[in-house]
Amino acid sequence: MIELTGIYKTYSELEVPQHVLKGINLKVDEGEFLCIMGASGSGKSTLLNIIGLLDSYDEGEYRLDGQLIKGLSREEEARIRNQNIGFVFQRYNLISFKSVYENVELPLIYRGVPEEERKERVMDILGKMELVGWEQHVPSHLSGGQQQRVAIARAMVTNPKIILADEPTGALDSRMTQEIINLFRKCNEDSNVTIVLVTHETSISSQMPRCITINDGIVESDERR
């Protein structure tokens, strides 16, 4: 599903060019649940952004579900993202003035899903995230763990093939962290969605069926359990 071969990335616009990725080779099969580990500045978030078509690469080859990702227009990239990928971020990225329901509904509106179907899908995913009863609350009324549940619901409501999660538990305590990891595991098992999760926490990586470690822009290790 995800196949990267010889991926290089340099931020040459900086005063001192920064060589972030230095020949990344990575293959992720459909339905896998894995994490990418690495210290700050190791290149793990850049790699995730390339996978999610939020950033470009300089050299190499990236195929997503068999399609070569190179030289696409912004419109084509946006279409592929919208059809295939859901994103979850450390700081949730919820719209503060919209309710839980409206935040989760938004991707379906962008897709042109009819209102009745939107309502059915939103309430279904809110039920799975144990958020029924909170749908009319704004994010500031929720705990950090609840806000991340909303973010996961928003990512899952379109039935994506891939979820990309960038430090999704970085702002949570240990109990909430475990709850969120358990939710990701359930999403993976129930929907066969491929999940790639970036983290620096060994308490998380030790639970993953597969853990890739990035160091100084290269894959240092690829462990399967």
Side-chain angles (χ1 to χ4, degrees):
M1 169 167 280
I2 297 168
E3 190 167 2
L4 301 103
T5 306
I7 295 293
Y8 286 80
K9 174 67 178 181
T10 298
Y11 292 110
S12 55
E13 67 274 12
L14 301 177
E15 186 174 342
V16 177
Q18 187 175 358
H19 305 290
V20 183
L21 301 180
K22 304 172 184 177
I24 294 287
N25 297 304
L26 176 63
K27 185 175 181 180
V28 180
D29 293 329
E30 182 178 358
E32 278 201 81
F33 183 20
L34 68 145
C35 74
I36 298 174
M37 281 278 290
S40 178
S42 61
K44 59 186 186 300
S45 291
T46 297
L47 176 59
L48 199 75
N49 287 339
I50 288 173
I51 294 172
L53 282 73
L54 297 175
D55 203 349
S56 60
Y57 56 96
D58 301 323
E59 297 179 42
E61 184 174 280
Y62 172 29
R63 291 185 182 273
L64 179 60
D65 215 12
Q67 179 174 358
L68 181 63
I69 306 299
K70 190 69 173 178
L72 300 177
S73 68
R74 290 184 178 180
E75 291 76 16
E76 289 172 316
E77 290 181 344
R79 177 184 57 80
I80 293 170
R81 277 196 305 270
N82 193 35
Q83 289 179 349
N84 296 281
I85 304 172
F87 295 91
V88 180
F89 301 96
Q90 179 176 343
R91 294 294 176 182
Y92 323 128
N93 286 20
L94 302 176
I95 300 174
S96 61
F97 58 86
K98 289 188 177 291
S99 69
V100 166
Y101 183 97
E102 291 170 327
N103 268 281
V104 176
E105 180 188 34
L106 203 56
L108 299 178
I109 292 175
Y110 289 153
R111 283 194 174 194
V113 176
E115 184 177 0
E116 282 303 309
E117 184 182 347
R118 293 202 307 266
K119 182 176 180 180
E120 181 180 345
R121 290 171 67 173
V122 170
M123 293 310 298
D124 177 65
I125 196 67
L126 289 180
K128 292 177 179 177
M129 296 294 125
E130 299 180 1
L131 288 167
V132 172
W134 293 91
E135 55 266 31
Q136 296 309 317
H137 290 256
V138 293
S140 61
H141 293 170
L142 308 180
S143 70
Q146 286 174 316
Q147 289 186 62
Q148 196 59 291
R149 286 173 181 266
V150 176
I152 295 171
R154 181 182 59 188
M156 287 293 297
V157 75
T158 57
N159 299 318
K161 295 180 179 179
I162 301 165
I163 293 287
L164 301 179
D166 194 358
E167 298 279 6
T169 63
L172 304 177
D173 62 28
S174 58
R175 184 178 66 84
M176 285 290 100
T177 290
Q178 191 58 54
E179 287 190 11
I180 294 302
I181 294 304
N182 291 343
L183 269 178
F184 277 122
R185 185 177 292 112
K186 182 172 174 55
C187 290
N188 172 252
E189 292 172 352
D190 291 351
S191 305
N192 199 42
V193 61
T194 303
I195 301 177
V196 182
L197 186 153
V198 161
T199 185
H200 66 275
E201 300 178 58
T202 55
S203 62
I204 294 174
S205 65
S206 64
Q207 302 181 52
M208 296 294 111
R210 182 183 180 190
C211 181
I212 293 159
T213 302
I214 303 291
N215 185 28
D216 195 26
I218 62 171
V219 174
E220 186 176 67
S221 65
D222 186 348
E223 299 179 12
R224 297 177 187 265
R225 300 179 177 92

